[in-house]
Amino acid sequence: MELLGKRVRLCPLGRSHIANTFEWVNNYELGRTMDRARPVSEFEHEEWFKRLVTRQDCMYWAIENREGREHIGNVWLWDIDSRHRRAEVRIVLGRSRGKGMGSEATRLVTEHAFERLILHKLYAYVLSINPRRVRAFEQARFVVEGVLRFDRWADELYVDVHLLGRVRDAELSSA
């Protein structure tokens, strides 16, 4: 399902997006902020892509700018839990960082999760070495719910992880 914003278009992750995705997952700087432990081989990447279509616990979109349809990143719902009606939001921007595109993509996925999937809560884990991502989630109306102190190994030291969450608005007003 395609999701349209003012400046970005989210479309199902397809074969045409795989080369960029492979590049980004193996980019040291991006991998560091996404808590990637090691590079991924072409074979592992291809196998991951093949398995995506059979998974019921995640939904992936490519983020494209609307103007030129350039693939600038990916956003996905991970670990979709139908019992508790929640999912984790993950995002990677390989291009156009710092321009609000990630916030808009996060907002679109959030609206889809709450309005179409009828999820109750979305959450995200963000390493403290990535304060821009914390701000992007906050712009999408996520709030910091807690900090996991010295939780992940990054940059040769343990870093904090911010847990951000957002609860479906309609249910907040009836609570």
Short mmCIF file of all heavy atoms in Angstrom, two decimals, residues 54-118:
data_model
loop_
_atom_site.label_atom_id
_atom_site.label_comp_id
_atom_site.label_asym_id
_atom_site.label_seq_id
_atom_site.Cartn_x
_atom_site.Cartn_y
_atom_site.Cartn_z
N THR A 54 6.99 -13.24 3.12
CA THR A 54 6.28 -14.27 3.88
C THR A 54 6.03 -13.87 5.34
O THR A 54 5.28 -14.54 6.03
CB THR A 54 7.06 -15.60 3.87
OG1 THR A 54 8.30 -15.42 4.54
CG2 THR A 54 7.28 -16.08 2.44
N ARG A 55 6.63 -12.79 5.77
CA ARG A 55 6.53 -12.40 7.19
C ARG A 55 5.20 -11.70 7.45
O ARG A 55 4.76 -10.87 6.66
CB ARG A 55 7.69 -11.50 7.57
CG ARG A 55 9.01 -12.26 7.44
CD ARG A 55 10.09 -11.61 8.13
NE ARG A 55 9.83 -11.47 9.56
CZ ARG A 55 10.77 -11.19 10.42
NH1 ARG A 55 12.00 -11.03 10.02
NH2 ARG A 55 10.48 -11.06 11.70
N GLN A 56 4.62 -12.01 8.58
CA GLN A 56 3.38 -11.37 9.01
C GLN A 56 3.62 -10.36 10.13
O GLN A 56 2.70 -9.66 10.52
CB GLN A 56 2.39 -12.45 9.50
CG GLN A 56 2.03 -13.47 8.45
CD GLN A 56 1.29 -12.85 7.29
OE1 GLN A 56 0.35 -12.08 7.48
NE2 GLN A 56 1.72 -13.14 6.08
N ASP A 57 4.84 -10.31 10.65
CA ASP A 57 5.13 -9.48 11.82
C ASP A 57 5.87 -8.19 11.48
O ASP A 57 6.37 -7.50 12.37
CB ASP A 57 5.93 -10.27 12.85
CG ASP A 57 7.30 -10.68 12.34
OD1 ASP A 57 7.49 -10.73 11.10
OD2 ASP A 57 8.18 -10.93 13.17
N CYS A 58 5.93 -7.82 10.19
CA CYS A 58 6.58 -6.58 9.82
C CYS A 58 6.02 -6.07 8.49
O CYS A 58 5.48 -6.83 7.71
CB CYS A 58 8.09 -6.75 9.75
SG CYS A 58 8.66 -7.99 8.58
N MET A 59 6.16 -4.76 8.30
CA MET A 59 5.75 -4.11 7.06
C MET A 59 6.84 -3.11 6.70
O MET A 59 7.20 -2.27 7.52
CB MET A 59 4.42 -3.38 7.22
CG MET A 59 3.26 -4.28 7.55
SD MET A 59 1.73 -3.33 7.79
CE MET A 59 1.29 -3.02 6.07
N TYR A 60 7.36 -3.21 5.47
CA TYR A 60 8.45 -2.36 5.01
C TYR A 60 7.99 -1.44 3.88
O TYR A 60 7.25 -1.87 2.99
CB TYR A 60 9.60 -3.21 4.45
CG TYR A 60 10.53 -3.74 5.49
CD1 TYR A 60 10.20 -4.84 6.26
CD2 TYR A 60 11.77 -3.15 5.68
CE1 TYR A 60 11.06 -5.33 7.22
CE2 TYR A 60 12.65 -3.64 6.63
CZ TYR A 60 12.29 -4.73 7.39
OH TYR A 60 13.15 -5.21 8.33
N TRP A 61 8.46 -0.19 3.94
CA TRP A 61 8.24 0.76 2.86
C TRP A 61 9.56 1.41 2.47
O TRP A 61 10.40 1.68 3.32
CB TRP A 61 7.29 1.89 3.29
CG TRP A 61 5.89 1.51 3.51
CD1 TRP A 61 4.87 1.51 2.59
CD2 TRP A 61 5.29 1.09 4.74
NE1 TRP A 61 3.69 1.12 3.18
CE2 TRP A 61 3.92 0.86 4.51
CE3 TRP A 61 5.79 0.89 6.03
CZ2 TRP A 61 3.05 0.44 5.49
CZ3 TRP A 61 4.92 0.47 7.02
CH2 TRP A 61 3.57 0.24 6.74
N ALA A 62 9.70 1.71 1.19
CA ALA A 62 10.78 2.56 0.72
C ALA A 62 10.28 4.00 0.84
O ALA A 62 9.11 4.28 0.59
CB ALA A 62 11.12 2.23 -0.72
N ILE A 63 11.16 4.89 1.23
CA ILE A 63 10.83 6.31 1.29
C ILE A 63 11.41 6.95 0.02
O ILE A 63 12.61 6.83 -0.24
CB ILE A 63 11.46 7.00 2.52
CG1 ILE A 63 11.07 6.28 3.81
CG2 ILE A 63 11.07 8.48 2.56
CD1 ILE A 63 11.89 6.74 5.03
N GLU A 64 10.55 7.57 -0.75
CA GLU A 64 10.98 8.27 -1.95
C GLU A 64 10.54 9.72 -1.84
O GLU A 64 9.49 10.00 -1.27
CB GLU A 64 10.35 7.65 -3.20
CG GLU A 64 10.76 6.21 -3.43
CD GLU A 64 10.08 5.60 -4.66
OE1 GLU A 64 9.09 6.20 -5.17
OE2 GLU A 64 10.53 4.53 -5.10
N ASN A 65 11.35 10.64 -2.37
CA ASN A 65 10.85 12.01 -2.42
C ASN A 65 9.81 12.06 -3.52
O ASN A 65 9.90 11.36 -4.52
CB ASN A 65 11.97 13.04 -2.59
CG ASN A 65 12.71 12.93 -3.89
OD1 ASN A 65 12.17 12.51 -4.91
ND2 ASN A 65 13.97 13.31 -3.89
N ARG A 66 8.77 12.84 -3.31
CA ARG A 66 7.66 12.87 -4.27
C ARG A 66 8.06 13.53 -5.58
O ARG A 66 7.56 13.15 -6.63
CB ARG A 66 6.46 13.60 -3.66
CG ARG A 66 5.71 12.69 -2.72
CD ARG A 66 4.37 13.18 -2.36
NE ARG A 66 3.47 13.26 -3.49
CZ ARG A 66 2.20 13.57 -3.38
NH1 ARG A 66 1.68 13.82 -2.20
NH2 ARG A 66 1.43 13.65 -4.43
N GLU A 67 8.95 14.49 -5.50
CA GLU A 67 9.30 15.26 -6.70
C GLU A 67 10.02 14.41 -7.74
O GLU A 67 9.61 14.33 -8.88
CB GLU A 67 10.16 16.44 -6.30
CG GLU A 67 10.35 17.46 -7.39
CD GLU A 67 11.04 18.68 -6.86
OE1 GLU A 67 10.43 19.38 -6.03
OE2 GLU A 67 12.20 18.91 -7.26
N GLY A 68 11.09 13.74 -7.36
CA GLY A 68 11.86 12.98 -8.33
C GLY A 68 11.78 11.48 -8.15
O GLY A 68 12.41 10.73 -8.88
N ARG A 69 11.03 11.05 -7.15
CA ARG A 69 10.90 9.63 -6.80
C ARG A 69 12.26 8.98 -6.54
O ARG A 69 12.47 7.80 -6.85
CB ARG A 69 10.13 8.87 -7.85
CG ARG A 69 8.68 9.30 -7.89
CD ARG A 69 7.79 8.22 -8.35
NE ARG A 69 6.42 8.57 -8.07
CZ ARG A 69 5.41 7.81 -8.34
NH1 ARG A 69 5.60 6.65 -8.89
NH2 ARG A 69 4.19 8.18 -8.04
N GLU A 70 13.17 9.75 -5.97
CA GLU A 70 14.47 9.22 -5.58
C GLU A 70 14.30 8.44 -4.28
O GLU A 70 13.65 8.90 -3.34
CB GLU A 70 15.45 10.37 -5.37
CG GLU A 70 16.80 9.91 -4.85
CD GLU A 70 17.68 11.07 -4.41
OE1 GLU A 70 17.19 12.20 -4.25
OE2 GLU A 70 18.87 10.81 -4.19
N HIS A 71 14.88 7.27 -4.22
CA HIS A 71 14.85 6.43 -3.02
C HIS A 71 15.80 7.03 -1.99
O HIS A 71 17.01 7.04 -2.19
CB HIS A 71 15.26 5.00 -3.40
CG HIS A 71 15.22 4.03 -2.27
ND1 HIS A 71 16.04 2.93 -2.24
CD2 HIS A 71 14.48 3.96 -1.14
CE1 HIS A 71 15.80 2.23 -1.14
NE2 HIS A 71 14.87 2.85 -0.45
N ILE A 72 15.24 7.53 -0.88
CA ILE A 72 16.07 8.22 0.11
C ILE A 72 16.18 7.45 1.43
O ILE A 72 16.99 7.81 2.28
CB ILE A 72 15.56 9.65 0.38
CG1 ILE A 72 14.13 9.63 0.94
CG2 ILE A 72 15.67 10.50 -0.88
CD1 ILE A 72 13.64 10.98 1.43
N GLY A 73 15.37 6.42 1.63
CA GLY A 73 15.43 5.67 2.87
C GLY A 73 14.37 4.59 2.94
O GLY A 73 13.65 4.34 1.97
N ASN A 74 14.28 3.97 4.11
CA ASN A 74 13.28 2.94 4.37
C ASN A 74 12.69 3.17 5.75
O ASN A 74 13.36 3.66 6.65
CB ASN A 74 13.90 1.54 4.34
CG ASN A 74 14.51 1.18 3.01
OD1 ASN A 74 14.03 1.59 1.96
ND2 ASN A 74 15.59 0.42 3.04
N VAL A 75 11.43 2.78 5.90
CA VAL A 75 10.77 2.84 7.20
C VAL A 75 9.94 1.57 7.33
O VAL A 75 9.42 1.06 6.34
CB VAL A 75 9.91 4.13 7.33
CG1 VAL A 75 8.79 4.18 6.31
CG2 VAL A 75 9.38 4.30 8.75
N TRP A 76 9.87 1.05 8.55
CA TRP A 76 9.13 -0.19 8.70
C TRP A 76 8.55 -0.33 10.10
O TRP A 76 9.01 0.27 11.05
CB TRP A 76 9.97 -1.40 8.33
CG TRP A 76 11.24 -1.67 9.08
CD1 TRP A 76 11.43 -2.61 10.05
CD2 TRP A 76 12.52 -1.05 8.90
NE1 TRP A 76 12.74 -2.61 10.48
CE2 TRP A 76 13.42 -1.66 9.79
CE3 TRP A 76 12.98 -0.03 8.08
CZ2 TRP A 76 14.76 -1.28 9.89
CZ3 TRP A 76 14.31 0.35 8.17
CH2 TRP A 76 15.18 -0.27 9.06
N LEU A 77 7.48 -1.12 10.14
CA LEU A 77 6.90 -1.56 11.40
C LEU A 77 7.48 -2.93 11.67
O LEU A 77 7.42 -3.82 10.82
CB LEU A 77 5.37 -1.64 11.30
CG LEU A 77 4.65 -0.31 11.08
CD1 LEU A 77 3.17 -0.55 10.83
CD2 LEU A 77 4.86 0.62 12.27
N TRP A 78 8.02 -3.11 12.84
CA TRP A 78 8.73 -4.33 13.20
C TRP A 78 8.06 -4.96 14.41
O TRP A 78 7.57 -4.25 15.28
CB TRP A 78 10.18 -4.00 13.50
CG TRP A 78 11.04 -5.17 13.82
CD1 TRP A 78 11.52 -5.52 15.04
CD2 TRP A 78 11.51 -6.16 12.91
NE1 TRP A 78 12.26 -6.67 14.94
CE2 TRP A 78 12.27 -7.08 13.64
CE3 TRP A 78 11.35 -6.35 11.54
CZ2 TRP A 78 12.88 -8.18 13.05
CZ3 TRP A 78 11.96 -7.44 10.96
CH2 TRP A 78 12.72 -8.34 11.71
N ASP A 79 8.06 -6.27 14.46
CA ASP A 79 7.53 -7.01 15.60
C ASP A 79 6.07 -6.60 15.88
O ASP A 79 5.70 -6.30 17.01
CB ASP A 79 8.40 -6.78 16.85
CG ASP A 79 8.15 -7.82 17.93
OD1 ASP A 79 7.61 -8.91 17.61
OD2 ASP A 79 8.47 -7.54 19.10
N ILE A 80 5.26 -6.59 14.82
CA ILE A 80 3.84 -6.26 14.96
C ILE A 80 3.20 -7.31 15.84
O ILE A 80 3.24 -8.51 15.54
CB ILE A 80 3.15 -6.17 13.59
CG1 ILE A 80 3.81 -5.09 12.74
CG2 ILE A 80 1.66 -5.91 13.77
CD1 ILE A 80 3.35 -5.06 11.30
N ASP A 81 2.62 -6.87 16.93
CA ASP A 81 2.04 -7.75 17.94
C ASP A 81 0.53 -7.55 17.94
O ASP A 81 0.02 -6.55 18.42
CB ASP A 81 2.64 -7.38 19.31
CG ASP A 81 2.14 -8.23 20.45
OD1 ASP A 81 1.03 -8.80 20.37
OD2 ASP A 81 2.86 -8.31 21.46
N SER A 82 -0.20 -8.51 17.36
CA SER A 82 -1.65 -8.37 17.23
C SER A 82 -2.37 -8.51 18.57
O SER A 82 -3.45 -7.95 18.76
CB SER A 82 -2.20 -9.37 16.22
OG SER A 82 -1.90 -10.69 16.62
N ARG A 83 -1.81 -9.23 19.50
CA ARG A 83 -2.46 -9.39 20.82
C ARG A 83 -2.46 -8.06 21.58
O ARG A 83 -3.48 -7.63 22.09
CB ARG A 83 -1.75 -10.46 21.64
CG ARG A 83 -2.35 -10.57 23.03
CD ARG A 83 -1.76 -11.72 23.84
NE ARG A 83 -2.35 -11.71 25.16
CZ ARG A 83 -1.63 -11.65 26.27
NH1 ARG A 83 -0.32 -11.64 26.22
NH2 ARG A 83 -2.23 -11.63 27.44
N HIS A 84 -1.29 -7.43 21.66
CA HIS A 84 -1.18 -6.19 22.41
C HIS A 84 -1.37 -4.95 21.52
O HIS A 84 -1.36 -3.83 22.03
CB HIS A 84 0.18 -6.12 23.11
CG HIS A 84 0.36 -7.20 24.12
ND1 HIS A 84 -0.37 -7.28 25.29
CD2 HIS A 84 1.18 -8.27 24.12
CE1 HIS A 84 0.00 -8.34 25.98
NE2 HIS A 84 0.94 -8.97 25.28
N ARG A 85 -1.52 -5.20 20.20
CA ARG A 85 -1.76 -4.14 19.22
C ARG A 85 -0.68 -3.06 19.28
O ARG A 85 -0.95 -1.88 19.44
CB ARG A 85 -3.16 -3.56 19.39
CG ARG A 85 -4.23 -4.59 19.10
CD ARG A 85 -5.66 -4.16 19.26
NE ARG A 85 -5.92 -2.76 19.08
CZ ARG A 85 -6.62 -2.01 19.95
NH1 ARG A 85 -7.11 -2.54 21.03
NH2 ARG A 85 -6.84 -0.74 19.70
N ARG A 86 0.56 -3.51 19.12
CA ARG A 86 1.69 -2.59 19.15
C ARG A 86 2.74 -3.04 18.15
O ARG A 86 2.73 -4.19 17.69
CB ARG A 86 2.30 -2.50 20.55
CG ARG A 86 2.93 -3.80 20.99
CD ARG A 86 3.51 -3.69 22.38
NE ARG A 86 4.06 -4.99 22.74
CZ ARG A 86 4.19 -5.43 23.95
NH1 ARG A 86 3.83 -4.68 24.96
NH2 ARG A 86 4.70 -6.62 24.18
N ALA A 87 3.65 -2.12 17.83
CA ALA A 87 4.75 -2.43 16.92
C ALA A 87 5.86 -1.42 17.13
O ALA A 87 5.63 -0.30 17.60
CB ALA A 87 4.29 -2.38 15.47
N GLU A 88 7.06 -1.84 16.76
CA GLU A 88 8.21 -0.94 16.79
C GLU A 88 8.33 -0.24 15.44
O GLU A 88 8.11 -0.85 14.40
CB GLU A 88 9.49 -1.73 17.06
CG GLU A 88 10.73 -0.89 17.14
CD GLU A 88 12.00 -1.69 17.38
OE1 GLU A 88 11.92 -2.92 17.63
OE2 GLU A 88 13.08 -1.09 17.31
N VAL A 89 8.68 1.03 15.46
CA VAL A 89 8.93 1.78 14.23
C VAL A 89 10.44 1.90 14.07
O VAL A 89 11.14 2.29 15.01
CB VAL A 89 8.31 3.19 14.28
CG1 VAL A 89 8.63 3.97 13.01
CG2 VAL A 89 6.81 3.11 14.51
N ARG A 90 10.92 1.56 12.88
CA ARG A 90 12.33 1.69 12.56
C ARG A 90 12.45 2.48 11.26
O ARG A 90 11.60 2.36 10.38
CB ARG A 90 13.00 0.33 12.40
CG ARG A 90 13.03 -0.47 13.69
CD ARG A 90 13.74 -1.78 13.48
NE ARG A 90 13.81 -2.56 14.71
CZ ARG A 90 14.38 -3.74 14.80
NH1 ARG A 90 14.96 -4.29 13.73
NH2 ARG A 90 14.40 -4.39 15.95
N ILE A 91 13.53 3.23 11.16
CA ILE A 91 13.72 4.07 9.96
C ILE A 91 15.21 4.24 9.70
O ILE A 91 16.01 4.29 10.63
CB ILE A 91 13.02 5.43 10.14
CG1 ILE A 91 13.11 6.26 8.86
CG2 ILE A 91 13.55 6.18 11.35
CD1 ILE A 91 12.21 7.49 8.86
N VAL A 92 15.54 4.31 8.42
CA VAL A 92 16.90 4.66 8.01
C VAL A 92 16.78 5.62 6.84
O VAL A 92 16.00 5.40 5.91
CB VAL A 92 17.74 3.41 7.62
CG1 VAL A 92 17.13 2.64 6.47
CG2 VAL A 92 19.18 3.81 7.29
N LEU A 93 17.51 6.72 6.93
CA LEU A 93 17.58 7.66 5.82
C LEU A 93 19.01 7.62 5.28
O LEU A 93 19.96 7.93 5.98
CB LEU A 93 17.27 9.09 6.28
CG LEU A 93 15.80 9.43 6.46
CD1 LEU A 93 15.65 10.88 6.88
CD2 LEU A 93 15.01 9.16 5.20
N GLY A 94 19.13 7.21 4.03
CA GLY A 94 20.42 7.16 3.38
C GLY A 94 20.76 8.45 2.69
O GLY A 94 21.92 8.76 2.45
N ARG A 95 19.72 9.23 2.38
CA ARG A 95 19.88 10.53 1.70
C ARG A 95 18.89 11.51 2.30
O ARG A 95 17.92 11.12 2.92
CB ARG A 95 19.61 10.39 0.20
CG ARG A 95 20.55 9.46 -0.51
CD ARG A 95 20.29 9.46 -2.01
NE ARG A 95 21.21 8.55 -2.67
CZ ARG A 95 20.91 7.30 -2.98
NH1 ARG A 95 19.74 6.81 -2.70
NH2 ARG A 95 21.82 6.53 -3.58
N SER A 96 19.12 12.78 2.06
CA SER A 96 18.19 13.86 2.46
C SER A 96 17.98 13.95 3.96
O SER A 96 16.89 14.27 4.43
CB SER A 96 16.85 13.70 1.75
OG SER A 96 17.01 13.76 0.36
N ARG A 97 19.03 13.68 4.72
CA ARG A 97 18.91 13.80 6.18
C ARG A 97 18.87 15.27 6.58
O ARG A 97 19.46 16.12 5.93
CB ARG A 97 20.08 13.09 6.85
CG ARG A 97 19.98 11.58 6.73
CD ARG A 97 21.04 10.88 7.57
NE ARG A 97 22.38 11.09 7.06
CZ ARG A 97 23.00 10.27 6.22
NH1 ARG A 97 22.39 9.19 5.80
NH2 ARG A 97 24.23 10.53 5.82
N GLY A 98 18.15 15.53 7.67
CA GLY A 98 18.08 16.88 8.20
C GLY A 98 17.10 17.78 7.48
O GLY A 98 17.11 18.99 7.68
N LYS A 99 16.22 17.22 6.68
CA LYS A 99 15.26 18.03 5.91
C LYS A 99 13.81 17.74 6.29
O LYS A 99 12.90 18.18 5.61
CB LYS A 99 15.46 17.78 4.42
CG LYS A 99 16.84 18.20 3.93
CD LYS A 99 17.02 17.91 2.46
CE LYS A 99 18.42 18.34 2.04
NZ LYS A 99 18.69 17.97 0.66
N GLY A 100 13.60 16.97 7.35
CA GLY A 100 12.24 16.67 7.79
C GLY A 100 11.59 15.49 7.08
O GLY A 100 10.44 15.16 7.36
N MET A 101 12.30 14.85 6.18
CA MET A 101 11.73 13.72 5.43
C MET A 101 11.48 12.52 6.35
O MET A 101 10.47 11.83 6.23
CB MET A 101 12.65 13.30 4.30
CG MET A 101 13.00 14.42 3.35
SD MET A 101 11.62 14.85 2.30
CE MET A 101 12.47 15.57 0.93
N GLY A 102 12.40 12.28 7.29
CA GLY A 102 12.22 11.17 8.22
C GLY A 102 11.04 11.39 9.14
O GLY A 102 10.27 10.46 9.42
N SER A 103 10.84 12.62 9.59
CA SER A 103 9.69 12.93 10.44
C SER A 103 8.39 12.71 9.69
O SER A 103 7.43 12.15 10.22
CB SER A 103 9.75 14.38 10.93
OG SER A 103 10.86 14.57 11.75
N GLU A 104 8.36 13.14 8.42
CA GLU A 104 7.15 12.95 7.62
C GLU A 104 6.88 11.47 7.36
O GLU A 104 5.74 11.01 7.47
CB GLU A 104 7.25 13.71 6.30
CG GLU A 104 5.97 13.65 5.49
CD GLU A 104 6.00 14.51 4.25
OE1 GLU A 104 6.86 15.41 4.13
OE2 GLU A 104 5.15 14.28 3.37
N ALA A 105 7.92 10.71 7.05
CA ALA A 105 7.74 9.27 6.83
C ALA A 105 7.25 8.59 8.11
O ALA A 105 6.36 7.73 8.07
CB ALA A 105 9.05 8.65 6.37
N THR A 106 7.81 8.98 9.24
CA THR A 106 7.37 8.42 10.53
C THR A 106 5.92 8.75 10.79
O THR A 106 5.14 7.91 11.24
CB THR A 106 8.27 8.94 11.67
OG1 THR A 106 9.61 8.57 11.39
CG2 THR A 106 7.85 8.37 13.01
N ARG A 107 5.53 9.99 10.49
CA ARG A 107 4.13 10.39 10.67
C ARG A 107 3.19 9.56 9.80
O ARG A 107 2.14 9.09 10.25
CB ARG A 107 3.97 11.88 10.37
CG ARG A 107 2.54 12.38 10.61
CD ARG A 107 2.38 13.84 10.20
NE ARG A 107 2.79 14.13 8.83
CZ ARG A 107 2.09 13.80 7.74
NH1 ARG A 107 0.94 13.15 7.86
NH2 ARG A 107 2.51 14.11 6.54
N LEU A 108 3.57 9.35 8.54
CA LEU A 108 2.73 8.55 7.63
C LEU A 108 2.57 7.12 8.11
O LEU A 108 1.47 6.55 8.09
CB LEU A 108 3.32 8.57 6.22
CG LEU A 108 3.22 9.89 5.46
CD1 LEU A 108 4.08 9.84 4.20
CD2 LEU A 108 1.77 10.21 5.12
N VAL A 109 3.67 6.50 8.54
CA VAL A 109 3.60 5.12 9.04
C VAL A 109 2.77 5.06 10.32
O VAL A 109 1.99 4.13 10.52
CB VAL A 109 5.03 4.56 9.27
CG1 VAL A 109 5.00 3.30 10.08
CG2 VAL A 109 5.69 4.31 7.93
N THR A 110 2.91 6.08 11.16
CA THR A 110 2.14 6.13 12.40
C THR A 110 0.65 6.22 12.10
O THR A 110 -0.16 5.48 12.69
CB THR A 110 2.60 7.33 13.26
OG1 THR A 110 3.98 7.15 13.58
CG2 THR A 110 1.79 7.45 14.53
N GLU A 111 0.27 7.10 11.19
CA GLU A 111 -1.15 7.22 10.82
C GLU A 111 -1.67 5.90 10.26
O GLU A 111 -2.78 5.47 10.60
CB GLU A 111 -1.33 8.34 9.80
CG GLU A 111 -1.15 9.71 10.38
CD GLU A 111 -1.12 10.81 9.31
OE1 GLU A 111 -1.26 10.51 8.10
OE2 GLU A 111 -0.92 11.99 9.71
N HIS A 112 -0.89 5.26 9.41
CA HIS A 112 -1.29 3.96 8.84
C HIS A 112 -1.48 2.92 9.94
O HIS A 112 -2.47 2.18 9.95
CB HIS A 112 -0.25 3.49 7.83
CG HIS A 112 -0.54 2.16 7.23
ND1 HIS A 112 -1.49 1.98 6.25
CD2 HIS A 112 -0.03 0.93 7.50
CE1 HIS A 112 -1.55 0.69 5.93
NE2 HIS A 112 -0.67 0.04 6.67
N ALA A 113 -0.54 2.88 10.87
CA ALA A 113 -0.61 1.89 11.96
C ALA A 113 -1.84 2.10 12.83
O ALA A 113 -2.51 1.13 13.22
CB ALA A 113 0.66 1.96 12.81
N PHE A 114 -2.15 3.34 13.14
CA PHE A 114 -3.29 3.62 14.02
C PHE A 114 -4.63 3.54 13.28
O PHE A 114 -5.59 2.99 13.81
CB PHE A 114 -3.13 5.00 14.66
CG PHE A 114 -2.05 5.07 15.71
CD1 PHE A 114 -1.42 6.26 15.98
CD2 PHE A 114 -1.66 3.96 16.44
CE1 PHE A 114 -0.43 6.36 16.96
CE2 PHE A 114 -0.68 4.03 17.41
CZ PHE A 114 -0.06 5.23 17.67
N GLU A 115 -4.69 4.06 12.06
CA GLU A 115 -5.97 4.13 11.34
C GLU A 115 -6.31 2.85 10.58
O GLU A 115 -7.47 2.46 10.54
CB GLU A 115 -5.95 5.31 10.39
CG GLU A 115 -5.88 6.65 11.12
CD GLU A 115 -5.64 7.83 10.20
OE1 GLU A 115 -5.75 7.67 8.96
OE2 GLU A 115 -5.31 8.91 10.72
N ARG A 116 -5.32 2.21 9.97
CA ARG A 116 -5.60 1.01 9.15
C ARG A 116 -5.37 -0.29 9.90
O ARG A 116 -6.15 -1.23 9.75
CB ARG A 116 -4.72 1.02 7.90
CG ARG A 116 -4.96 2.17 6.97
CD ARG A 116 -6.27 1.98 6.24
NE ARG A 116 -6.47 3.06 5.29
CZ ARG A 116 -6.72 2.88 4.02
NH1 ARG A 116 -6.76 1.67 3.52
NH2 ARG A 116 -6.91 3.92 3.23
N LEU A 117 -4.30 -0.34 10.66
CA LEU A 117 -3.98 -1.58 11.38
C LEU A 117 -4.61 -1.61 12.77
O LEU A 117 -4.58 -2.63 13.44
CB LEU A 117 -2.46 -1.75 11.50
CG LEU A 117 -1.68 -1.78 10.18
CD1 LEU A 117 -0.19 -1.90 10.46
CD2 LEU A 117 -2.17 -2.90 9.28
N ILE A 118 -5.14 -0.49 13.19
CA ILE A 118 -5.80 -0.32 14.49
C ILE A 118 -4.86 -0.74 15.63
O ILE A 118 -5.26 -1.39 16.59
CB ILE A 118 -7.15 -1.09 14.57
CG1 ILE A 118 -7.95 -0.91 13.29
CG2 ILE A 118 -7.96 -0.61 15.77
CD1 ILE A 118 -8.34 0.52 12.97
#
